[in-house]
Amino acid sequence: MYELKIALRQVFSRRRQTFFAILAVALAVTVITVMMAMLSGFQDELVTSSIENNPHIVINPQDEEEEFIHLYRYTSDLIAEKEGVIAVSPKYLGQVALEYRDNAEGVSLQGVDPMAEENVMRVSEDVIEGDFMTLVHTRYGILLGDQLAENLEVHVGDRVDAVFPGSQTTSFKVVGLINTGTAEDEVTAYARLDSVQDFFNEPGVVSTIGVRVVDPYQADIIAGSIERETGLDAVSWIEENAEILNLLETQTVFVNIFYFLIYGIAGFGIANTLITIVAQRTREIGILKAMGASQKSIMFVFLFQSMILGAIGLILGTILGYIVTVGLQSYEIEVPQEMYFGLQTLPLEIEPLNFVYAAFFAFIINIISGIYPARKAAKLDPVKAIESA
């Protein structure tokens, strides 16, 4: 195919122009693949933290004016038998003051069945000292967030006093520390459900019931089923994080527009190179047409040039993008927690499909960029082209 040979000769005869055209495409693909890795990592981390740091479904009293769920054992057994449900954990939540010597902190005290809570929340994975299961054998044991323990200046083995108006001050032994990497570590404490119920003088009731399901993306459907069967208010993690998920979708739209603009800039680089070649090779184009080359062949010559520049650029860009992403992954880039929904470091996720998408769209944009100069060259009058040279 002589069109391809001509295209190769013209591309590599203008080395400086070719270099900058390829560089434009390569940088565009690099920037986009790195940004896609950041966006994928951010979305995955956010969804994962939403799924893993909270029950997939939280069941609350039906009426907002009601504070507790009664008959929670019967309700928990009913929910546990539902298809798709892995574990159920009833929980009593209360605000107390924990005191140790001259220090005092406001705390969200969670009364839980340790075995059930472990099955729903995998609390043991966050324990950095002690053992969550110690609560099973320790009637008045307590696990504290590590930041909370630091603020109180307590250690495992110390005893803290729980204080609440109308309740008898109760001493709890610190049996472990947890670190979730979130702000909850400053205010969270776990104790046994029966101990907390006794402390608040509210036996036989709980505040919520947490549910873990097999497929988190089916949580909405299962939550609806629980509501119909129990009459209680069941909120899935999808419903709870609807605003964040909508924000991610909106963010994706804006990022895609940004990608398109970057591709467009790279495409202009290739179009500019080809237009320059058309201007500089007008006489050669005229001679080709005078020798019988059709408009279609001339178009193919320039489209091949566009494809060659784009293909080399996207290959280099993909390799460079992968190297930069891997390099950034080796560093922990800290981000403000308040701006990134509690995330402490910038997550990057390498997904092969991201590279495929970036390369595919870059290639398409490059071909489109070559259409105008190709048509311009194809429409040149051979006589005028030769005379004008």
Side-chain angles (χ1 to χ4, degrees), residues 126-130 143-146 149 154 156 174-179:
D126 297 324
V127 175
I128 58 174
E129 191 173 349
L143 266 83
L144 305 179
D146 60 345
V154 300
V156 173
V174 179
V175 297
L177 303 179
I178 58 174
N179 177 283

Side-chain angles (χ1 to χ4, degrees), residues 255-333:
V255 169
N256 285 334
I257 293 173
F258 183 66
Y259 291 163
F260 181 77
L261 292 176
I262 294 178
Y263 282 134
I265 293 170
F268 274 115
I270 288 185
N272 181 58
T273 300
L274 295 179
I275 289 171
T276 304
I277 292 174
V278 171
Q280 293 177 340
R281 298 299 176 99
T282 299
R283 184 171 181 275
E284 294 180 17
I285 295 170
I287 293 172
L288 280 173
K289 298 190 75 171
M291 292 172 65
S294 64
Q295 288 191 356
K296 187 177 178 181
S297 293
I298 299 298
M299 278 198 69
F300 273 128
V301 168
F302 284 87
L303 287 177
F304 278 141
Q305 292 182 55
S306 176
M307 292 169 64
I308 293 166
L309 294 172
I312 298 173
L314 68 89
I315 291 172
L316 290 177
T318 302
I319 295 172
L320 192 59
Y322 178 80
I323 293 172
V324 172
T325 304
V326 171
L328 290 175
Q329 278 184 321
S330 62
Y331 294 96
E332 289 191 351
I333 304 173

Side-chain angles (χ1 to χ4, degrees), residues 85-297:
V85 173
I86 298 175
V88 178
S89 175
K91 185 182 297 185
Y92 191 106
L93 304 173
Q95 299 295 320
V96 302
L98 286 186
E99 295 180 348
Y100 180 73
R101 296 179 180 171
D102 295 332
N103 300 321
E105 293 288 336
V107 173
S108 173
L109 180 59
Q110 302 189 24
V112 298
D113 176 336
M115 294 292 290
E117 185 68 4
E118 175 65 15
N119 291 334
V120 171
M121 293 297 298
R122 311 284 196 263
V123 180
S124 292
E125 295 178 1
D126 297 324
V127 175
I128 58 174
E129 191 173 349
D131 187 351
F132 183 62
M133 286 303 146
T134 304
L135 288 180
V136 175
H137 310 293
T138 309
R139 182 74 167 84
Y140 288 98
I142 193 168
L143 266 83
L144 305 179
D146 60 345
Q147 291 299 311
L148 172 61
E150 186 176 329
N151 294 339
L152 286 170
E153 299 180 356
V154 300
H155 303 88
V156 173
D158 292 336
R159 301 192 74 87
V160 293
D161 292 331
V163 179
F164 182 75
S167 297
Q168 184 177 358
T169 300
T170 303
S171 176
F172 286 86
K173 181 180 179 181
V174 179
V175 297
L177 303 179
I178 58 174
N179 177 283
T180 63
T182 69
E184 295 297 309
D185 295 333
E186 292 189 26
V187 294
T188 299
Y190 286 98
R192 272 175 50 164
L193 177 59
D194 53 352
S195 304
V196 176
Q197 288 172 326
D198 289 346
F199 173 74
F200 285 104
N201 298 315
E202 295 287 356
V205 298
V206 295
S207 307
T208 66
I209 299 175
V211 180
R212 188 179 188 87
V213 299
V214 176
D215 182 358
Y217 293 96
Q218 296 295 314
D220 252 354
I221 297 173
I222 297 174
S225 173
I226 291 173
E227 280 192 342
R228 288 191 295 274
E229 291 186 22
T230 65
L232 297 170
D233 178 32
V235 181
S236 72
W237 72 272
I238 298 173
E239 182 181 351
E240 181 68 24
N241 296 284
E243 289 187 6
I244 295 176
L245 295 175
N246 290 334
L247 180 63
L248 289 178
E249 290 181 4
T250 305
Q251 181 189 41
T252 302
V253 172
F254 284 109
V255 169
N256 285 334
I257 293 173
F258 183 66
Y259 291 163
F260 181 77
L261 292 176
I262 294 178
Y263 282 134
I265 293 170
F268 274 115
I270 288 185
N272 181 58
T273 300
L274 295 179
I275 289 171
T276 304
I277 292 174
V278 171
Q280 293 177 340
R281 298 299 176 99
T282 299
R283 184 171 181 275
E284 294 180 17
I285 295 170
I287 293 172
L288 280 173
K289 298 190 75 171
M291 292 172 65
S294 64
Q295 288 191 356
K296 187 177 178 181
S297 293

